Amino acid sequence: MKKLFAILVFLSMLLAACGQTQAPAGSIAPTPAGTNKNGSTNTAEVPNVNPAEPAQPKADSTPSRALDKVKVGTLGVFGDSAIYLAAERGYFKEQGIEVDIQKFGAATELITALGTGQIDAGDGPANAALYNMLGSKINIKLVAPNVTSEKGRDGGALVVGKRLSEEIKKPADLKGRKIGVAAVKGSASQIYIEKLLAPEGLTLKDIEFVGLTFADMLPALSNGAIDAAILPEPHLSNGITQGIFFQFRGNGEMFPGQEANLFMLSPDFAKKTDIANRLTTARLKGVRDYNDAFFKNKGRDEVVSILTKNTSVKEAAAYKNINFAAMHPDGKLNPASLLEEVEWYTKNGIVTNPVDIQAAVDTSYSEYALKTLGPYDK
């Protein structure tokens, strides 16, 4: 018994000694405080490692990059499709951007907001308000086309009341007629009409313009208060479907290549080249989705669902009859049409200061987007 007891005591001492000198499997034995492994003095504090638990990896303290916030203006209309598609499908976030989409009730309000920096970017009409702002040396940058007038992809048209289908068959028959327009002075609609009448030897003095909202033009055409009107979508397809009027000439026939609507940047935001390039790239992806849906019938239902949610065209059925406007899928702008408009507005006393269109147009952002995405597969 004494011999067995002695053996047990010896084994206990041996196990105790091993516990003091051997670290648990998978861990690193700590160096005694104040001493390096080579025996020299160690002035650094030794971390308190619990040998019972493996040390946990240190969490990455580097924060993820915050999204750049950009305010983008729209009018909540069908022409804003690219912005809504890019937002809903996450294209802006892909480019590291968080967009704050702000809707305006009138085009002039949106243009003013761009000029004053209330918003950073937006889709808006190429109209007299824009050109007057440029003439006042407010350097809004004209970056890319939004809606372009092309034959067959007009987005709007000159229409004539159905009751006059036998009386008005050619442009000369418009002489003495009342034509509804959104603005009696300073409207691109007047440029369309002038270009249509000129080959007939007629001028704008040979017809009468009546200022009406687009919504009011339909009943006015129906009851004979006006004889014709310039209407955009969806009012165009709605009135044709209801039998109120017929399409006389599309916008693309009257003014081919006209940039009716533009993607623009505010003066200060345009200086932020990196963010502006990324914003333009994301928006161009939205433009391409629009083209895929309405000219290739690719992903159409989903695109329509997004647009009914965000634009004024709320009924999915309405998209079956719309004459979809052209949106250039490579973002190529036609400055010649803008120059022609400026000359017309200046000649008619609507734009009073000189406008340098060449200085206002900046296609570098669109060129960056095109280089990033590559040419659109038509």
Side-chain angles (χ1 to χ4, degrees):
M1 288 294 293
K2 291 181 179 181
K3 186 177 180 179
L4 177 60
F5 179 76
I7 292 172
L8 291 174
V9 170
F10 174 78
L11 290 174
S12 298
M13 292 174 65
L14 181 62
L15 290 172
C18 291
Q20 291 174 358
T21 60
Q22 184 175 341
S27 65
I28 299 175
T31 303
T35 305
N36 287 326
K37 289 183 179 180
N38 59 10
S40 61
T41 303
N42 180 7
T43 57
E45 183 179 357
V46 178
N48 182 20
V49 178
N50 182 358
E53 299 179 7
Q56 298 298 316
K58 190 175 181 180
D60 185 4
S61 60
T62 304
S64 59
R65 179 181 174 181
L67 297 177
D68 294 308
K69 296 183 179 180
V70 180
K71 296 178 181 179
V72 178
T74 70
L75 295 171
V77 296
F78 186 71
D80 298 315
S81 296
I83 288 174
Y84 293 125
L85 290 171
E88 290 280 350
R89 290 186 158 177
Y91 299 154
F92 291 119
K93 286 189 176 180
E94 283 179 2
Q95 295 294 327
I97 293 171
E98 178 183 340
V99 290
D100 174 10
I101 297 178
Q102 301 186 8
K103 290 183 181 180
F104 291 84
T108 302
E109 294 175 2
L110 188 150
I111 299 298
T112 301
L114 267 173
T116 58
Q118 179 184 336
I119 56 176
D120 302 308
D123 284 335
N127 61 10
L130 172 64
Y131 297 132
N132 274 316
M133 192 163 287
L134 293 174
S136 299
K137 308 304 179 185
I138 298 174
N139 299 318
I140 293 173
K141 289 301 178 184
L142 315 182
V143 172
N146 185 31
V147 174
T148 304
S149 297
E150 291 183 8
K151 187 175 181 179
R153 297 181 177 182
D154 305 281
L158 171 65
V159 301
V160 173
K162 201 69 172 286
R163 61 189 174 81
L164 298 171
S165 60
E166 294 300 317
E167 297 180 40
I168 300 178
K169 294 186 176 182
K170 58 184 184 298
D173 297 334
L174 293 169
K175 184 176 181 179
R177 301 291 184 173
K178 294 181 179 180
I179 300 180
V181 291
V184 172
K185 187 177 182 180
S187 167
S189 298
Q190 293 168 307
I191 304 178
Y192 294 150
I193 300 299
E194 183 177 83
K195 292 173 81 70
L196 182 65
L197 295 177
E200 306 291 333
L202 302 176
T203 70
L204 296 184
K205 294 180 181 179
D206 292 306
I207 52 95
E208 179 183 347
F209 286 118
V210 179
L212 294 169
T213 66
F214 295 131
D216 288 338
M217 289 181 193
L218 271 69
L221 282 161
S222 182
N223 62 30
I226 58 176
D227 303 307
I230 296 277
L231 280 169
E233 288 290 6
H235 306 285
L236 173 61
S237 54
N238 284 344
I240 292 174
T241 302
Q242 295 173 42
I244 297 173
F245 50 71
F246 64 94
Q247 180 169 320
F248 187 70
R249 295 289 188 277
N251 290 351
E253 295 178 79
M254 294 184 286
F255 193 168
Q258 188 238 357
E259 304 293 16
N261 208 280
L262 301 169
F263 176 57
M264 299 173 279
L265 304 179
S266 72
D268 288 338
F269 184 74
K271 299 174 184 176
K272 301 176 182 178
T273 306
D274 175 58
I275 305 176
N277 280 340
R278 288 185 278 121
L279 181 78
T280 306
T281 300
R283 182 189 169 278
L284 186 59
K285 288 187 72 173
V287 170
R288 293 181 173 190
D289 284 358
Y290 170 95
N291 278 269
D292 284 348
F294 299 123
F295 303 131
K296 291 185 176 181
N297 200 29
K298 179 181 176 182
R300 183 186 178 105
D301 289 345
E302 183 181 348
V303 166
V304 168
S305 177
I306 291 171
L307 297 184
T308 55
K309 173 183 174 183
N310 291 282
T311 75
S312 56
V313 187
K314 297 297 184 184
E315 299 297 327
Y319 290 81
K320 296 179 181 179
N321 301 314
I322 285 177
N323 180 336
F324 295 101
M327 291 188 184
H328 201 295
D330 285 340
K332 293 185 177 180
L333 190 63
N334 176 22
S337 77
L338 304 178
L339 182 59
E340 186 174 351
E341 287 189 359
V342 168
E343 290 175 348
W344 188 91
Y345 286 124
T346 303
K347 178 184 71 175
N348 287 278
I350 300 165
V351 171
T352 54
N353 295 319
V355 177
D356 188 346
I357 284 295
Q358 187 174 359
V361 170
D362 190 339
T363 60
S364 64
Y365 310 98
S366 294
E367 289 165 6
Y368 174 92
L370 180 57
K371 184 177 179 180
T372 301
L373 301 177
Y376 179 71
D377 183 9
K378 298 180 181 179

